Amino acid sequence: MRKSVKTTGGLSQEAAQEIIGRDSFLGLGESREVFGISPSNGEMKRIYRVPFTEEELEGRSDTHILALVFPISPSRAARKDVRNRRYLHHILYEECLKWEGMELFMQDCGPRWVLLYKKAKHHLHTWEEQLELLEANEKVPPASVLLCIAIEYAIVTGRILFEGSCIRCRDTINGGSIVISNYGREYKALPYCDDYKGFVGIATEIVPD
């Protein structure tokens, strides 16, 4: 039987990993391995404890990923590890989006802990309808968070998040929401009309209490 791991200041990384499961956890060690992250003292204070409770993590190992995210651009990720380029090729060279401007989307990427739903939700709805369907404790993450978690998860576990899916993010470009798609194991970013009701879901993360 697992000992109680409740604390007033959040959970330790070890306790959080035990609760949600090793295959659904991406912590500081994985960020260092994949992206070469070296947090400052100030950043370490912010990420030292996981801001979710045992109750919030319990039973989510099959549906969510608990990940530590940092403000890292796709170009930096590709420079760090050649394996990243396999998943980032279209993101890095999609001229119509001028995706080198991705740096603009990184300002609120982290460092922070994210409890991300593993699949797209609420297909066949417009952007506004999807937002109305969110639970009170859910919000839509930016594209940068989705990409960092997806790439890290693929390299660490060998599994592909959102494979065969199109998923809306919080960011917008050219008047439409940014959609991250994955077909053939490569991630692409495309602007979609917000009124589109096709098979495009929405990304969601849990907001800690």
Side-chain angles (χ1 to χ4, degrees):
M1 181 181 295
R2 185 174 64 239
K3 296 186 296 182
S4 174
V5 292
K6 296 178 183 178
T7 70
T8 57
L11 300 173
S12 68
Q13 294 189 44
E14 293 78 10
Q17 183 185 49
E18 182 181 358
I19 296 167
I20 200 161
R22 186 177 182 86
D23 289 343
S24 296
F25 180 86
L26 298 170
L28 182 56
E30 289 77 15
S31 294
R32 283 173 170 157
E33 175 191 349
V34 177
F35 297 126
I37 294 296
S38 181
S40 66
N41 290 336
E43 288 175 329
M44 283 300 298
K45 289 180 181 179
R46 291 173 58 185
I47 64 176
Y48 180 68
R49 308 294 289 185
V50 178
F52 292 96
T53 65
E54 182 175 357
E55 289 77 12
E56 287 174 315
L57 297 182
E58 195 79 59
R60 295 189 187 273
S61 60
D62 292 333
T63 58
H64 289 75
I65 294 172
L66 178 62
L68 180 59
V69 297
F70 288 86
I72 179 171
S73 68
S75 58
R76 177 182 169 186
R79 288 195 302 269
K80 164 59 184 171
D81 194 322
V82 68
R83 294 175 298 177
N84 298 342
R85 298 176 195 170
R86 172 182 179 184
Y87 304 104
L88 283 168
H89 175 80
H90 286 282
I91 300 295
L92 290 170
Y93 303 110
E94 191 70 64
E95 291 185 4
C96 67
L97 285 181
K98 299 191 181 304
W99 204 247
E100 64 271 14
M102 185 74 170
E103 307 286 349
L104 298 175
F105 298 110
M106 308 307 295
Q107 55 189 345
D108 61 347
C109 183
R112 67 183 179 93
W113 288 94
V114 176
L115 187 56
L116 179 72
Y117 196 70
K118 291 181 178 179
K119 296 181 180 180
K121 298 177 71 174
H122 308 311
H123 298 87
L124 305 178
H125 291 280
T126 67
W127 168 248
E128 292 298 329
E129 290 171 346
Q130 288 172 332
L131 292 179
E132 292 176 359
L133 290 170
L134 295 179
E135 301 290 339
N137 66 339
E138 290 181 324
K139 68 177 182 179
V140 182
S144 52
V145 165
L146 231 66
L147 285 171
C148 285
I149 294 177
I151 294 160
E152 191 172 333
Y153 186 75
I155 290 174
V156 171
T157 70
R159 301 175 188 146
I160 303 298
L161 282 180
F162 318 124
E163 188 168 16
S165 299
C166 291
I167 186 166
R168 281 188 172 112
C169 307
R170 191 183 69 205
D171 310 299
T172 60
I173 192 169
N174 297 334
S177 54
I178 289 180
V179 171
I180 301 299
S181 68
N182 184 288
Y183 293 92
R185 301 178 70 89
E186 287 188 348
Y187 290 98
K188 296 183 179 182
L190 305 166
Y192 262 70
C193 174
D194 288 347
D195 292 333
Y196 180 68
K197 283 192 174 186
F199 199 70
V200 177
I202 192 171
T204 59
E205 62 172 291
I206 300 294
V207 179
D209 289 338

